[in-house]
């Protein structure tokens, strides 16, 4: 049984006044399904506007889904409310992108980190709570003596450690990490990625790891789901997807990564430089009709007439490597 | 030639000035791209902004050195002349395309403003120039775009508009401060291609400020690595990637996840960059360096390879690279 199971999740947002002629409906997430097992990392990768953060927030029940099911530990949590939802939250916790914004500047570290314990372990007295906070801070590489300080006294990397401690203090099973290292310098990013890995092994944690950074995802994730315009367009083991991308979008994303050595420099691609379809994904999202063909077809070199009638559907093939494309790329040995 | 000579900068604070950049020297040459790399807080953006004297109202001041544009010191330039240099001879591309455009003026108004300030053109010619600039940066249908406001544009399109503005007055030098950091991967690749094309076609001298070695690998000819306000290593892009010498350069390169074997622990650099004012008298990287020993507590001068422009500020470079270097004078400027 998987720890987290998400089925056919949907969410749309409306913008513009209720009676306004310019009212638009944006389908942020359409028919998204995935599972995360204990001790496993599933990464959701995509560009801005792809719906990856919306998906994470729905899993955490910070946003209500329009349709679909979310079950955690075998129990449907899609419609839980109030005390029942709070009890369930002990099992899932979130780490946010911006370590500067996600800690209350007026609360001491001990109170921020220990806040979850007040709800989920109300029998602990003050002293026991401090002890638990000290223990978890140490696991996150922070000295227990910082407990009585305030967030502004820490650097970005230290705050992210505190943010992780805050999530871990209630011993969750699942961590939803929304771009946890994007705001950090590369040397600090490496420290935090190492920490996340060590904590995962120690506590057998499951991670739902949201990121736009393909290199980070390759490093941390077991499986990856690639999102485009609210759909998962490809899903599979990281090694399979990176070595043999089958969706044209995945391939384009992988090809767009900067090189790692100047000798591999992509010499000037003048056509690329002056073709501007940067904003296609944004336009697609606003187009309104989520099911009228493949959302990527406007940007896709392989697109054919049939793509405009294609009901996008993630179809699994060998090795649980699934792709939502009428004309998937043939596996090669890139 | 644009020459930065022994530049030192300080930040004004209530308890006295804090040094932020010390003794930085480099040159920008037409047709060449210099990548200035380092983590946040290393002083790379301060250095770049000081070339156009942009930090002054935030209390950044020069405490030593010169910035010479054709033998004239930018710091002693009259304000009127400086205004001509900014956006004229030297222009700048900022990191955040979302905040660098004024939301209440149309794209056209903002682009025309730059052209008017620097070029003496008729009304008609100004508009034609504006549309042509947009076409140069890959924005088709320039006429319509000129009437639009920034909020109608995606991040990638805004960055293209900002690049068009930077190119408006045929600059000789361009300072690009993290030009792709705020963009999505696929857009990023296109902006890199665009910058490379413009830089080559117009033989621009470019200062590329970034924390991303990938961007450096794509665009730079030379590299200067900054740490805690100093340049710690400098050389051609091939030398820096093939034979990084300073322990900081090596560490920074190897802690990138794309360099690591999957699932293996990343070789992270422990600790963090010391804040301006907390710098030790010896090597500033010593506290985080695996090779640090007694010798590192003394001030470190630059060591250069014979017949080479590859320079590193570390007493251990010979041991690290197995080659022979000679000490250069601490104050010598070179690229």
């Amino acid at each position: 049984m998987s720890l987290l199971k998400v089925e056919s999740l949907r969410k749309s947002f409306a913008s513009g006044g209720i009676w306004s002629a310019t009212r638009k409906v944006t389908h942020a997430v359409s028919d998204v399904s995935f599972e995360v097992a204990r001790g496993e990392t599933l990464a959701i990768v995509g560009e801005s506007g792809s719906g990856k953060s919306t998906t994470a927030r729905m899993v955490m029940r910070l946003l209500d889904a329009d349709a679909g099911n979310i079950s955690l530990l075998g129990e449907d949590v899609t419609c839980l409310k109030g005390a029942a939802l709070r009890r369930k939250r002990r099992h899932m916790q979130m780490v946010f992108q911006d370590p500067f914004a996600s800690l209350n500047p007026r609360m001491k570290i001990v109170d921020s980190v220990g806040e979850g314990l007040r709800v989920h372990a109300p029998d602990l007295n003050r002293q026991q709570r401090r002890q638990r906070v000290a223990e978890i801070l140490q696991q996150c590489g922070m000295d227990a003596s910082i407990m009585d300080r305030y967030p502004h006294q820490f650097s970005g990397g230290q705050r992210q450690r505190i943010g992780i401690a805050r999530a871990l203090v209630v011993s969750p099973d699942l961590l939803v990490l929304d771009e946890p290292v994007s705001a950090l310098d590369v040397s600090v990013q490496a420290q935090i990625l190492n920490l996340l890995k060590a904590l995962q092994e120690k506590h057998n944690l499951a991670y739902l790891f949201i990121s736009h950074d393909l290199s980070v995802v390759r490093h941390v994730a077991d499986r990856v789901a690639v999102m485009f315009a609210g759909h998962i367009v490809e899903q599979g083991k990281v090694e399979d997807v990176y070595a043999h991308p089958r969706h044209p979008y995945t391939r384009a994303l992988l090809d767009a990564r900067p090189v790692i050595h100047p000798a591999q420099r992509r010499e000037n691609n003048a056509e690329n430089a002056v073709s501007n379809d940067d904003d296609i994904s944004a336009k697609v999202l606003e187009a309104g009709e989520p099911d009228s063909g493949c959302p990527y077809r406007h940007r896709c070199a392989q697109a054919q007439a049939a793509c405009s009638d294609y009901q996008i559907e993630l179809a699994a093939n060998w090795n649980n490597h699934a792709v939502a494309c009428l004309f998937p790329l043939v596996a090669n040995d890139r | 030639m644009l020459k930065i000579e022994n530049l030192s900068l300080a930040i004004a604070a209530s308890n006295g000035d804090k040094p932020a950049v010390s003794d930085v020297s480099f040159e920008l040459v037409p047709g060449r791209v210099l990548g200035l790399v380092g983590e946040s807080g290393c002083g790379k953006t301060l250095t770049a902004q000081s070339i156009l004297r942009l930090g002054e109202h935030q209390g950044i001041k020069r405490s030593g050195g010169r910035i010479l544009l054709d033998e004239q010191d930018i710091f002693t330039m009259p304000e009127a002349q400086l205004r001509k240099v900014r956006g004229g001879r030297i222009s700048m591309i900022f990191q955040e395309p979302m905040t660098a455009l004024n939301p209440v003026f149309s794209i056209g108004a903002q682009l025309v403003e730059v052209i008017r300030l620097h070029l003496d053109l008729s009304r008609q010619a100004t508009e034609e120039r504006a549309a042509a600039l947009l076409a140069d940066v890959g924005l088709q249908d320039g006429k319509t775009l000129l009437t639009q406001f920034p909020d109608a544009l995606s991040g990638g399109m805004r960055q293209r508009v900002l690049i068009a503005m930077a190119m408006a007055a045929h600059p000789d030098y361009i300072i690009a401060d993290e030009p792709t950091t705020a963009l999505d991967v696929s857009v990023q690749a296109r902006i890199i291609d665009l910058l490379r094309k413009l830089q080559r076609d117009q033989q621009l001298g470019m200062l590329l400020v970034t924390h991303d070695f990938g961007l450096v690998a794509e665009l730079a000819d030379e590299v200067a690595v900054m740490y805690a306000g100093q340049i710690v290593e400098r050389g051609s892009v091939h030398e820096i990637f093939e034979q990084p010498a300073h322990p900081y350069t090596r560490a920074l390169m190897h802690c990138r996840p794309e360099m690591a074997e999957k699932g293996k622990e990343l070789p992270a650099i422990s600790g963090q960059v010391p804040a301006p004012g907390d710098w030790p008298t010896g090597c500033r990287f010593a506290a985080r360096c695996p090779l640090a020993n007694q010798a590192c507590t003394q001030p470190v001068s630059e060591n250069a390879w014979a017949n080479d422009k590859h320079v590193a500020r570390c007493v251990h470079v010979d041991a690290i690279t197995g080659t022979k270097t000679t000490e250069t004078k601490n104050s010598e400027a070179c690229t």
Side-chain angles (χ1 to χ4, degrees):
Chain A
M1 181 191 72
S2 49
L3 181 69
L4 172 73
K5 187 168 184 178
V6 170
E7 282 173 305
S8 308
L9 215 52
R10 281 176 190 278
K11 181 75 189 175
S12 55
F13 297 104
S15 57
I18 302 178
W19 309 110
S20 154
T22 59
R23 185 173 173 80
K24 283 184 298 206
V25 176
T26 306
H27 296 273
V29 172
S30 315
D31 199 17
V32 159
S33 306
F34 55 83
E35 295 181 24
V36 187
R38 254 179 220 285
E40 178 193 50
T41 302
L42 172 71
I44 299 184
V45 69
E47 297 183 281
S48 34
S50 62
K52 56 190 195 303
S53 284
T54 305
T55 305
R57 297 175 74 83
M58 282 193 284
V59 168
M60 281 306 298
R61 293 294 322 281
L62 296 172
L63 269 180
D64 286 329
D66 292 347
N69 278 303
I70 304 162
S71 54
L72 185 69
L73 292 158
E75 189 192 337
D76 190 341
V77 297
T78 326
C79 301
L80 283 187
K81 283 194 168 54
L85 176 60
R86 273 198 297 280
R87 271 198 301 280
K88 215 64 192 165
R89 284 239 173 85
R90 190 184 81 69
H91 301 285
M92 52 177 185
Q93 288 286 313
M94 189 155 183
V95 176
F96 297 90
Q97 169 171 7
D98 187 347
F100 291 86
S102 57
L103 290 171
N104 186 335
R106 300 176 61 162
M107 275 167 84
K108 288 181 180 172
I109 299 303
V110 62
D111 297 322
S112 273
V113 174
E115 203 178 11
L117 292 175
R118 288 173 176 272
V119 178
H120 296 294
D123 329 334
L124 295 185
N125 65 30
R126 206 178 113 79
Q127 202 47 47
Q128 288 166 319
R129 230 175 15 240
R130 281 185 74 90
Q131 195 161 8
R132 171 76 184 137
V133 169
E135 189 184 305
I136 207 80
L137 281 171
Q138 269 159 0
Q139 284 184 21
C140 294
M142 297 292 288
D143 198 88
S145 64
I146 62 143
M147 281 203 292
D148 294 308
R149 295 211 235 152
Y150 289 90
H152 72 267
Q153 294 168 290
F154 298 96
S155 68
Q158 289 171 323
R159 284 185 215 202
Q160 199 57 300
R161 287 176 190 273
I162 295 166
I164 294 168
R166 187 175 196 272
L168 281 183
V169 77
V170 296
S171 314
D173 301 290
L174 172 73
L175 275 195
V176 176
L177 303 135
D178 190 1
E179 303 271 14
V181 296
S182 307
L184 305 175
D185 266 313
V186 62
S187 70
V188 180
Q189 172 180 303
Q191 295 172 10
I192 299 295
L193 292 176
N194 287 342
L195 172 68
L196 287 172
K197 178 141 183 64
L199 291 169
Q200 181 169 45
E201 280 165 12
K202 186 174 165 73
H203 299 290
N204 198 26
L205 288 166
Y207 289 159
L208 181 62
F209 194 101
I210 312 295
S211 180
H212 71 282
D213 187 326
L214 292 148
S215 307
V216 168
V217 165
R218 184 190 71 98
H219 189 76
V220 301
D222 301 303
R223 287 187 304 120
V224 59
V226 182
M227 278 190 84
F228 178 80
H231 296 269
I232 292 179
V233 296
E234 183 159 3
Q235 188 174 166
K237 284 191 184 149
V238 166
E239 304 87 79
D240 295 339
V241 172
Y242 277 56
H244 307 291
R246 305 213 59 216
H247 197 283
Y249 177 64
T250 313
R251 171 78 168 270
L253 264 189
L254 289 169
D255 287 348
R257 286 179 298 171
V259 299
I260 58 174
H261 194 285
Q264 307 157 340
R265 197 174 279 192
R266 294 169 300 179
E267 271 315 318
N268 202 3
N269 187 343
E271 212 174 283
N272 241 349
V274 293
S275 85
N276 171 53
D277 50 9
D278 299 345
D279 58 329
I280 293 271
S281 58
K283 277 186 189 153
V284 169
L285 271 175
E286 286 168 11
E289 292 183 30
D291 294 321
S292 58
C294 171
Y296 187 60
R297 69 183 189 279
H298 310 280
R299 227 169 131 177
C300 181
Q302 272 95 326
Q304 301 183 24
C307 297
S308 41
D309 297 325
Y310 173 52
Q311 288 275 340
I312 182 165
E313 191 190 347
L314 203 59
N317 54 26
W318 60 278
N319 219 0
N320 287 327
H321 184 168
V323 60
C325 181
L326 266 188
F327 307 102
L329 303 170
V330 183
N332 56 15
D333 291 307
R334 294 196 319 140
Chain B
M1 192 125 69
L2 180 61
K3 204 166 180 178
I4 285 77
E5 278 184 1
N6 310 106
L7 179 70
S8 295
L9 299 171
I11 308 171
S14 52
N15 50 355
D17 292 353
K18 282 184 180 171
V21 167
S22 32
D23 202 22
V24 162
S25 300
F26 57 82
E27 281 172 12
L28 291 187
V29 184
R32 308 285 286 173
V33 181
L34 172 69
L36 190 60
V37 200
E39 293 175 272
S40 28
C42 286
K44 55 190 195 308
T45 292
L46 289 184
T47 304
Q49 291 187 344
S50 71
I51 295 175
L52 290 174
R53 282 171 58 190
L54 290 182
E56 284 177 359
H57 65 285
Q58 294 165 328
I60 310 293
K61 35 191 182 182
R62 168 176 68 155
S63 48
R66 302 187 294 177
I67 296 176
L68 296 176
L69 178 65
D70 301 333
E71 305 301 314
Q72 201 186 353
D73 191 352
I74 285 183
F75 283 107
T76 58
M77 231 175 228
E79 190 65 31
Q81 195 190 347
L82 185 63
R83 269 202 300 275
K84 284 278 160 199
V85 170
R86 287 181 181 147
R89 297 284 314 280
I90 308 173
S91 59
M92 189 138 185
I93 302 168
F94 295 92
Q95 171 172 2
E96 262 307 332
M98 296 299 170
T99 53
L101 287 168
N102 189 332
V104 300
F105 290 102
S106 70
I107 301 298
Q110 300 186 53
L111 197 49
V112 162
E113 187 189 6
V114 187
I115 300 170
R116 279 226 191 100
L117 199 60
H118 294 288
L119 304 175
D120 189 21
L121 296 175
S122 69
R123 195 191 184 95
Q124 167 114 33
T126 304
E127 271 181 25
E128 278 167 15
R129 172 93 184 123
L133 279 166
L134 291 178
D136 284 350
V137 297
L139 294 170
Q140 276 82 36
D141 200 11
K143 283 269 186 305
T144 323
L145 200 62
L146 287 173
T147 65
Q148 285 182 318
F149 287 81
D151 71 324
L153 275 56
S154 69
M157 290 171 82
R158 286 184 216 200
Q159 194 60 302
R160 284 174 193 265
V161 169
L162 287 168
I163 294 173
M165 286 170 70
M167 303 301 296
H170 309 287
D172 298 318
Y173 302 101
I174 200 154
I175 300 165
D177 189 358
E178 304 275 13
T180 61
T181 308
L183 304 173
D184 274 322
V185 199
S186 59
V187 182
Q188 194 175 13
R190 288 170 188 280
I191 297 293
I192 290 172
D193 289 335
L194 174 66
L195 287 172
R196 183 188 291 130
K197 180 177 185 305
L198 293 172
Q199 186 268 329
R200 294 219 179 132
D201 290 357
Q202 315 201 12
Q203 287 296 297
L204 296 166
M206 184 188 282
L207 180 65
L208 177 70
V209 179
T210 182
H211 69 281
D212 181 356
F213 267 112
L215 192 58
V216 171
E218 289 280 6
L219 288 174
D221 301 302
E222 278 95 34
V223 181
V225 182
M226 270 189 96
Y227 186 77
Q230 283 178 323
I231 290 180
V232 294
E233 183 166 2
R234 171 167 66 201
S236 76
V237 70
H238 288 280
E239 283 163 339
I240 297 290
F241 276 81
E242 283 300 316
Q243 195 178 48
H246 196 283
Y248 178 62
T249 313
R250 296 165 81 95
L252 202 55
M253 237 175 227
H254 288 121
C255 68
R256 292 180 297 158
E258 54 266 46
M259 299 299 285
E261 204 178 316
K262 183 176 161 51
K264 288 273 163 60
E265 193 171 324
L266 294 166
I269 314 175
S270 60
Q272 52 196 317
V273 184
D278 294 343
W279 297 330
T281 48
C283 171
R284 293 179 185 173
F285 186 59
R288 304 172 78 184
C289 180
L291 302 174
N293 61 17
Q294 194 55 36
C296 304
T297 58
Q298 300 301 315
V300 193
S301 50
E302 295 188 324
N303 292 286
W305 280 261
N307 305 322
D308 206 338
K309 288 176 176 165
H310 190 176
V311 173
R313 195 186 282 274
C314 173
V315 296
H316 301 295
V317 279
D318 290 357
I320 293 170
T321 58
T323 51
K324 189 81 196 100
T325 58
T326 49
E327 198 170 293
T328 64
K329 267 210 304 242
N330 212 358
S331 58
E332 197 180 40
C334 57
T335 340

